[in-house]
């Protein structure tokens, strides 16, 4: 069974304190791993897609990496505006209609 | 235009009411989705439309009735809902690429539904 697990559930950082969020997955043939950011009461906002182990993508203070079993979202020198829930999702090889399997999310709070 | 627009933003309805949620996109995407999200939980897929045809129904109760009138519009008709149906309802869209739905979903801001 395809499964996605994110850790930690919640993370509190001081502004400028770098850290990483983890997304572990088991799927039958990974077609893609996705990171989304979601602010309270809003829809998820696309951040990154990773397709193969060793791939890395960066956007401002965020960097996503992928191995055969997990992905990390590294946050460098975070700011309060980075506070949000970060969702990881995977698309397995058995899906051809865009059905993503989401993890439970990591809620990040960055204090000034 | 990279937006998915959902209306209304908030909806309060009684268990005997009939209401509809609306979603619109003008990105030329031919796959459109309805997701349901409860507080502090990830989105759960409800329905997928591919080229205006229903391709996935995740065993959703019949009190939820989707409709795709054209390639830009997606509706969700609600009837006789239960209080436990209160949630954030999200619409999303994506392209088709290589014969299958592109995985990059564009989400709307959602409709926060409360059923009394």
């Amino acid at each position: 069974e395809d499964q996605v697990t994110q850790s930690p559930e919640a993370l509190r950082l001081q502004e400028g304190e770098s850290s990483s969020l983890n997304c572990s997955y088991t799927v039958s043939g990974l077609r893609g791993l996705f990171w989304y950011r979601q602010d309270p009461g809003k829809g998820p906002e696309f951040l990154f897609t990773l397709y193969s182990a060793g791939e890395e993508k960066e956007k401002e203070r965020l960097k996503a990496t992928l191995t055969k079993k997990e992905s990390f979202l590294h946050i460098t020198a975070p700011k309060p505006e980075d506070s949000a829930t970060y969702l990881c999702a995977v698309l397995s090889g058995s899906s051809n209609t865009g059905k993503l399997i989401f993890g439970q999310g990591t809620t990040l709070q960055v204090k000034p | 235009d990279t937006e998915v627009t959902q209306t209304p933003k908030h909806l309060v309805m009684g268990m005997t009411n009939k209401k509809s949620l609306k979603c619109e996109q003008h990105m030329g995407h031919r796959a459109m989705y309805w997701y349901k999200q409860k507080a502090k939980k990830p989105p759960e897929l409800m329905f997928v439309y591919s080229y205006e045809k229903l391709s996935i129904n995740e065993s959703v109760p019949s009190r939820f009735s989707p409709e795709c009138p054209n390639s830009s519009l997606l509706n969700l008709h609600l009837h006789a809902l239960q209080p436990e149906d209160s949630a954030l309802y999200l619409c999303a869209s994506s392209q088709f690429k290589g014969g299958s739905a592109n995985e990059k979903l564009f989400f709307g801001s959602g409709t926060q539904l409360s059923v009394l």
Side-chain angles (χ1 to χ4, degrees), chain B residues 9-28:
Chain B
K9 293 192 182 303
H10 302 274
L11 179 63
V12 179
M13 60 185 292
M15 290 189 285
T16 58
N17 292 158
K18 287 185 180 180
K19 297 286 184 182
S20 297
L21 309 184
K22 297 186 184 299
C23 173
E24 189 169 2
Q25 58 88 13
H26 296 287
M27 294 178 278

Side-chain angles (χ1 to χ4, degrees), chain A residues 31-32 34 36 38 41-46 49 51 87 91 95-100 102-105, chain B residues 33 35 37 40-43 45 48 50 55-56 58 88 90 96 100-101 103-105 107-110:
Chain A
R31 285 179 52 193
F34 307 85
Y36 286 86
Q38 186 172 25
K42 302 286 188 182
E45 177 188 350
F46 173 80
T49 308
Y51 293 103
L87 293 165
L91 185 67
S95 171
N96 66 353
T97 50
K99 180 180 178 181
L100 297 179
F102 282 91
Q104 295 295 310
Chain B
Y33 310 77
Y35 280 83
Q37 187 175 26
K40 301 189 184 300
K41 297 290 186 182
L45 183 65
V48 181
S50 305
S55 56
I56 291 183
E58 290 288 303
L88 181 68
L90 294 163
F96 268 88
S100 61
E103 310 85 355
K104 180 178 177 180
L105 300 185
F107 284 89
S109 291

Side-chain angles (χ1 to χ4, degrees), chain A residues 19-32:
Chain A
S19 188
S20 297
L21 282 54
N22 178 265
C23 172
S24 299
Y25 63 91
T26 53
V27 293
S28 51
L30 181 71
R31 285 179 52 193

Side-chain angles (χ1 to χ4, degrees), chain A:
Chain A
E1 182 183 352
D2 298 334
Q3 193 168 359
V4 179
T5 303
Q6 290 187 246
S7 61
E9 284 187 21
L11 182 62
R12 290 185 179 181
L13 299 174
Q14 288 296 129
E15 185 172 2
E17 179 186 2
S18 302
S19 188
S20 297
L21 282 54
N22 178 265
C23 172
S24 299
Y25 63 91
T26 53
V27 293
S28 51
L30 181 71
R31 285 179 52 193
L33 185 141
F34 307 85
W35 284 99
Y36 286 86
R37 168 194 170 127
Q38 186 172 25
D39 293 302
K42 302 286 188 182
E45 177 188 350
F46 173 80
L47 293 174
F48 303 109
T49 308
L50 302 166
Y51 293 103
S52 57
E55 191 174 358
E56 299 182 351
K57 296 236 176 120
E58 286 190 67
K59 179 181 179 180
E60 296 180 356
R61 296 177 292 283
L62 301 177
K63 179 179 178 180
T65 62
L66 181 65
T67 72
K68 289 186 178 180
K69 294 183 179 181
E70 58 191 349
S71 176
F72 292 94
L73 185 64
H74 307 279
I75 303 177
T76 301
K79 298 181 177 182
E81 53 262 43
D82 295 322
S83 298
T85 295
Y86 291 85
L87 293 165
C88 171
V90 298
L91 185 67
S92 77
S94 60
S95 171
N96 66 353
T97 50
K99 180 180 178 181
L100 297 179
I101 300 166
F102 282 91
Q104 295 295 310
T106 294
T107 298
L108 173 65
Q109 184 181 21
V110 181
K111 294 189 172 183

